[in-house]
Short mmCIF file of all heavy atoms in Angstrom, two decimals:
data_model
loop_
_atom_site.label_atom_id
_atom_site.label_comp_id
_atom_site.label_asym_id
_atom_site.label_seq_id
_atom_site.Cartn_x
_atom_site.Cartn_y
_atom_site.Cartn_z
N GLN W 67 39.02 167.98 7.62
CA GLN W 67 38.30 167.05 8.51
C GLN W 67 36.86 166.82 8.07
O GLN W 67 36.29 165.77 8.33
CB GLN W 67 38.29 167.68 9.91
CG GLN W 67 37.85 166.78 11.02
CD GLN W 67 38.23 167.40 12.35
OE1 GLN W 67 38.23 168.64 12.49
NE2 GLN W 67 38.59 166.59 13.30
N SER W 68 36.29 167.80 7.39
CA SER W 68 34.87 167.71 7.04
C SER W 68 34.61 166.79 5.84
O SER W 68 33.46 166.47 5.56
CB SER W 68 34.33 169.11 6.73
OG SER W 68 34.85 169.53 5.49
N LEU W 69 35.67 166.34 5.16
CA LEU W 69 35.47 165.49 3.98
C LEU W 69 35.06 164.09 4.41
O LEU W 69 35.63 163.53 5.34
CB LEU W 69 36.76 165.43 3.15
CG LEU W 69 37.24 166.80 2.67
CD1 LEU W 69 38.62 166.69 2.07
CD2 LEU W 69 36.25 167.38 1.68
N ARG W 70 34.12 163.50 3.67
CA ARG W 70 33.57 162.23 4.15
C ARG W 70 34.55 161.08 4.06
O ARG W 70 34.44 160.10 4.78
CB ARG W 70 32.25 161.89 3.44
CG ARG W 70 32.37 161.60 1.98
CD ARG W 70 31.07 161.00 1.43
NE ARG W 70 31.27 160.64 0.04
CZ ARG W 70 31.10 161.46 -0.97
NH1 ARG W 70 30.69 162.69 -0.76
NH2 ARG W 70 31.32 161.05 -2.21
N PHE W 71 35.57 161.19 3.21
CA PHE W 71 36.54 160.09 3.12
C PHE W 71 37.79 160.32 3.98
O PHE W 71 38.74 159.56 3.92
CB PHE W 71 36.91 159.76 1.67
CG PHE W 71 37.03 160.97 0.77
CD1 PHE W 71 38.14 161.76 0.82
CD2 PHE W 71 36.00 161.29 -0.10
CE1 PHE W 71 38.25 162.86 0.02
CE2 PHE W 71 36.09 162.40 -0.92
CZ PHE W 71 37.23 163.19 -0.85
N VAL W 72 37.78 161.38 4.81
CA VAL W 72 38.88 161.62 5.76
C VAL W 72 38.42 161.20 7.15
O VAL W 72 37.36 161.60 7.61
CB VAL W 72 39.31 163.10 5.75
CG1 VAL W 72 40.31 163.39 6.86
CG2 VAL W 72 39.90 163.48 4.39
N ASP W 73 39.23 160.35 7.80
CA ASP W 73 38.82 159.84 9.12
C ASP W 73 39.45 160.59 10.28
O ASP W 73 38.82 160.79 11.30
CB ASP W 73 39.18 158.35 9.21
CG ASP W 73 38.45 157.55 8.16
OD1 ASP W 73 37.24 157.37 8.31
OD2 ASP W 73 39.08 157.15 7.15
N GLU W 74 40.72 160.96 10.13
CA GLU W 74 41.42 161.63 11.23
C GLU W 74 42.33 162.70 10.66
O GLU W 74 42.92 162.50 9.59
CB GLU W 74 42.34 160.64 11.95
CG GLU W 74 41.71 159.90 13.09
CD GLU W 74 42.76 159.02 13.79
OE1 GLU W 74 43.66 159.58 14.45
OE2 GLU W 74 42.67 157.80 13.64
N VAL W 75 42.46 163.81 11.39
CA VAL W 75 43.40 164.85 10.97
C VAL W 75 44.27 165.26 12.16
O VAL W 75 43.86 165.09 13.31
CB VAL W 75 42.69 166.12 10.42
CG1 VAL W 75 41.97 165.83 9.12
CG2 VAL W 75 41.74 166.70 11.44
N PHE W 76 45.43 165.78 11.85
CA PHE W 76 46.29 166.33 12.91
C PHE W 76 47.16 167.40 12.29
O PHE W 76 47.29 167.48 11.06
CB PHE W 76 47.15 165.22 13.56
CG PHE W 76 48.17 164.62 12.65
CD1 PHE W 76 49.49 165.08 12.63
CD2 PHE W 76 47.83 163.59 11.78
CE1 PHE W 76 50.43 164.51 11.78
CE2 PHE W 76 48.77 163.02 10.93
CZ PHE W 76 50.07 163.49 10.94
N ILE W 77 47.75 168.24 13.14
CA ILE W 77 48.65 169.29 12.63
C ILE W 77 50.06 168.72 12.52
O ILE W 77 50.59 168.17 13.49
CB ILE W 77 48.64 170.53 13.55
CG1 ILE W 77 47.27 171.25 13.51
CG2 ILE W 77 49.76 171.49 13.20
CD1 ILE W 77 46.98 172.00 12.22
N GLU W 78 50.65 168.87 11.32
CA GLU W 78 52.04 168.46 11.10
C GLU W 78 52.93 169.65 11.45
O GLU W 78 52.90 170.67 10.78
CB GLU W 78 52.23 168.07 9.63
CG GLU W 78 53.66 167.71 9.29
CD GLU W 78 53.92 167.57 7.79
OE1 GLU W 78 53.20 168.17 6.97
OE2 GLU W 78 54.87 166.86 7.43
N ASN W 79 53.70 169.49 12.53
CA ASN W 79 54.51 170.61 13.00
C ASN W 79 55.93 170.64 12.43
O ASN W 79 56.58 171.68 12.44
CB ASN W 79 54.61 170.58 14.53
CG ASN W 79 53.35 171.10 15.15
OD1 ASN W 79 52.92 172.22 14.84
ND2 ASN W 79 52.72 170.31 16.00
N SER W 80 56.40 169.48 11.98
CA SER W 80 57.78 169.42 11.49
C SER W 80 57.93 168.38 10.40
O SER W 80 57.42 167.27 10.52
CB SER W 80 58.69 169.06 12.67
OG SER W 80 59.95 168.65 12.19
N LEU W 81 58.64 168.75 9.34
CA LEU W 81 58.89 167.82 8.23
C LEU W 81 59.75 166.66 8.69
O LEU W 81 59.69 165.56 8.14
CB LEU W 81 59.60 168.54 7.08
CG LEU W 81 58.80 169.59 6.31
CD1 LEU W 81 59.67 170.22 5.24
CD2 LEU W 81 57.55 169.00 5.70
N GLU W 82 60.55 166.91 9.73
CA GLU W 82 61.49 165.89 10.23
C GLU W 82 60.79 164.80 11.05
O GLU W 82 61.43 163.83 11.43
CB GLU W 82 62.58 166.54 11.10
CG GLU W 82 63.74 167.11 10.29
CD GLU W 82 63.35 168.40 9.58
OE1 GLU W 82 62.88 169.32 10.26
OE2 GLU W 82 63.48 168.47 8.35
N LYS W 83 59.51 165.02 11.35
CA LYS W 83 58.83 164.05 12.23
C LYS W 83 57.99 163.03 11.47
O LYS W 83 57.19 162.31 12.08
CB LYS W 83 57.92 164.80 13.21
CG LYS W 83 58.68 165.49 14.33
CD LYS W 83 57.69 165.94 15.38
CE LYS W 83 58.38 166.66 16.51
NZ LYS W 83 57.42 167.48 17.26
N LYS W 84 58.18 162.95 10.15
CA LYS W 84 57.33 162.05 9.35
C LYS W 84 57.35 160.62 9.87
O LYS W 84 56.32 159.97 9.97
CB LYS W 84 57.77 162.04 7.89
CG LYS W 84 57.31 163.24 7.14
CD LYS W 84 56.54 162.91 5.91
CE LYS W 84 55.76 164.13 5.49
NZ LYS W 84 56.48 165.41 5.61
N ARG W 85 58.55 160.13 10.19
CA ARG W 85 58.67 158.75 10.65
C ARG W 85 57.86 158.54 11.94
O ARG W 85 57.15 157.55 12.10
CB ARG W 85 60.14 158.40 10.86
CG ARG W 85 60.40 156.95 11.21
CD ARG W 85 61.89 156.66 11.23
NE ARG W 85 62.45 156.59 9.88
CZ ARG W 85 62.44 155.51 9.10
NH1 ARG W 85 61.91 154.39 9.54
NH2 ARG W 85 62.96 155.53 7.89
N GLU W 86 57.95 159.53 12.85
CA GLU W 86 57.20 159.46 14.11
C GLU W 86 55.70 159.45 13.85
O GLU W 86 54.96 158.69 14.47
CB GLU W 86 57.50 160.67 14.99
CG GLU W 86 58.80 160.57 15.74
CD GLU W 86 59.13 161.87 16.44
OE1 GLU W 86 58.28 162.41 17.17
OE2 GLU W 86 60.25 162.37 16.20
N TYR W 87 55.25 160.32 12.94
CA TYR W 87 53.81 160.39 12.64
C TYR W 87 53.33 159.07 12.04
O TYR W 87 52.27 158.58 12.40
CB TYR W 87 53.51 161.53 11.65
CG TYR W 87 53.74 162.93 12.19
CD1 TYR W 87 54.47 163.86 11.45
CD2 TYR W 87 53.21 163.34 13.40
CE1 TYR W 87 54.68 165.16 11.91
CE2 TYR W 87 53.40 164.64 13.88
CZ TYR W 87 54.15 165.54 13.12
OH TYR W 87 54.35 166.82 13.58
N ILE W 88 54.11 158.52 11.13
CA ILE W 88 53.72 157.26 10.47
C ILE W 88 53.56 156.16 11.53
O ILE W 88 52.59 155.41 11.53
CB ILE W 88 54.76 156.86 9.38
CG1 ILE W 88 54.76 157.87 8.25
CG2 ILE W 88 54.47 155.45 8.85
CD1 ILE W 88 55.96 157.75 7.29
N SER W 89 54.53 156.10 12.46
CA SER W 89 54.48 155.07 13.52
C SER W 89 53.34 155.34 14.48
O SER W 89 52.58 154.45 14.83
CB SER W 89 55.78 155.06 14.33
OG SER W 89 56.86 154.87 13.49
N PHE W 90 53.22 156.60 14.91
CA PHE W 90 52.19 156.95 15.90
C PHE W 90 50.80 156.61 15.39
O PHE W 90 49.97 156.07 16.12
CB PHE W 90 52.29 158.44 16.25
CG PHE W 90 51.28 158.87 17.28
CD1 PHE W 90 51.52 158.65 18.63
CD2 PHE W 90 50.09 159.48 16.91
CE1 PHE W 90 50.59 159.02 19.59
CE2 PHE W 90 49.14 159.86 17.86
CZ PHE W 90 49.40 159.64 19.20
N TYR W 91 50.54 156.91 14.12
CA TYR W 91 49.20 156.66 13.55
C TYR W 91 49.09 155.26 12.94
O TYR W 91 48.08 154.93 12.34
CB TYR W 91 48.84 157.75 12.53
CG TYR W 91 48.53 159.05 13.22
CD1 TYR W 91 49.48 160.07 13.29
CD2 TYR W 91 47.31 159.26 13.87
CE1 TYR W 91 49.22 161.26 13.97
CE2 TYR W 91 47.04 160.44 14.54
CZ TYR W 91 48.00 161.43 14.60
OH TYR W 91 47.74 162.59 15.28
N LYS W 92 50.14 154.44 13.15
CA LYS W 92 50.13 153.04 12.69
C LYS W 92 49.73 152.91 11.22
O LYS W 92 48.89 152.08 10.86
CB LYS W 92 49.20 152.20 13.57
CG LYS W 92 49.62 152.14 15.04
CD LYS W 92 48.71 151.21 15.82
CE LYS W 92 49.16 150.94 17.23
NZ LYS W 92 49.74 152.05 17.98
N ALA W 93 50.32 153.77 10.39
CA ALA W 93 49.97 153.77 8.97
C ALA W 93 50.64 152.61 8.24
O ALA W 93 51.81 152.31 8.47
CB ALA W 93 50.39 155.10 8.34
#
Side-chain angles (χ1 to χ4, degrees):
Q67 192 165 33
S68 72
L69 301 170
R70 67 169 185 272
F71 38 78
V72 172
D73 299 287
E74 270 184 70
V75 293
F76 66 95
I77 292 288
E78 177 190 25
N79 282 305
S80 164
L81 292 179
E82 276 74 55
K83 285 192 182 161
K84 282 235 162 41
R85 186 173 286 276
E86 281 172 52
Y87 293 131
I88 295 167
S89 304
F90 181 81
Y91 287 100
K92 298 184 172 38

